[in-house]
Amino acid sequence: MDTDQVRSRWDATKGACPTRQVLGRIGHTWTMLVISTLEKHGTLRSGQLKARIEGITQKMLTQTLRQLERDGVVHREVVPTVPVTVSYTLTPLGLSLAAAVATMRTWAYDHMDEIIAAREEYDAKP
């Protein structure tokens, strides 16, 4: 099956298309920050991730990591130590997504001044 045929199988504008879940997940702030952090630092434990991502709660970090593991983006490794050590690493699929996340992050950095100006102009309207 060629690439065009594979792509034509999915249409995110359709309510039943499973890509909606994927787009919702990868577009989520915490997902992007977890992926960016793992890309930058490599394998990390949950506590290390939490320390590097300001504002994320333990509950949200756990939920995000579970979802990313389920989607095959993150690999979870359990080392039988006392206490048990659990670490997270991006899979090859996750690394390919990290490139897209980096592009979006760069776009946001490059255009933040314009966005702030547009917001201020919008908020100043009567």
Side-chain angles (χ1 to χ4, degrees):
M1 195 177 276
D2 69 31
T3 305
D4 288 335
Q5 286 177 319
V6 170
R7 286 188 180 140
S8 69
R9 289 179 53 207
W10 312 115
D11 183 351
T13 64
K14 304 296 182 198
C17 185
T19 60
R20 283 190 176 195
Q21 280 185 330
V22 174
L23 292 171
R25 176 140 30 261
I26 64 177
H28 192 272
T29 302
W30 298 126
T31 297
M32 291 186 145
L33 294 174
V34 166
I35 289 169
S36 295
T37 304
L38 288 173
E39 178 190 30
K40 181 177 181 181
H41 298 285
T43 301
L44 293 173
R45 294 188 313 274
S46 177
Q48 293 171 312
L49 274 165
K50 189 172 183 305
R52 285 174 171 80
I53 303 172
E54 238 177 76
I56 195 168
T57 63
Q58 187 60 51
K59 178 182 177 182
M60 187 52 65
L61 178 60
T62 300
Q63 286 176 354
T64 301
L65 287 168
R66 282 183 184 155
Q67 291 167 345
L68 292 174
E69 181 184 9
R70 182 173 183 248
D71 289 343
V73 173
V74 168
H75 172 73
R76 179 178 183 261
E77 183 176 358
V78 179
V79 180
T81 56
V82 179
V84 172
T85 304
V86 180
S87 60
Y88 299 89
T89 308
L90 290 176
T91 62
L93 182 62
L95 288 169
S96 70
L97 179 56
V101 169
T103 299
M104 293 178 69
R105 185 179 59 244
T106 299
W107 182 91
Y109 291 164
D110 290 348
H111 297 282
M112 203 61 233
D113 290 333
E114 294 168 73
I115 293 167
I116 290 168
R119 288 177 178 176
E120 288 171 353
E121 182 181 330
Y122 180 89
D123 291 345
K125 290 179 184 178

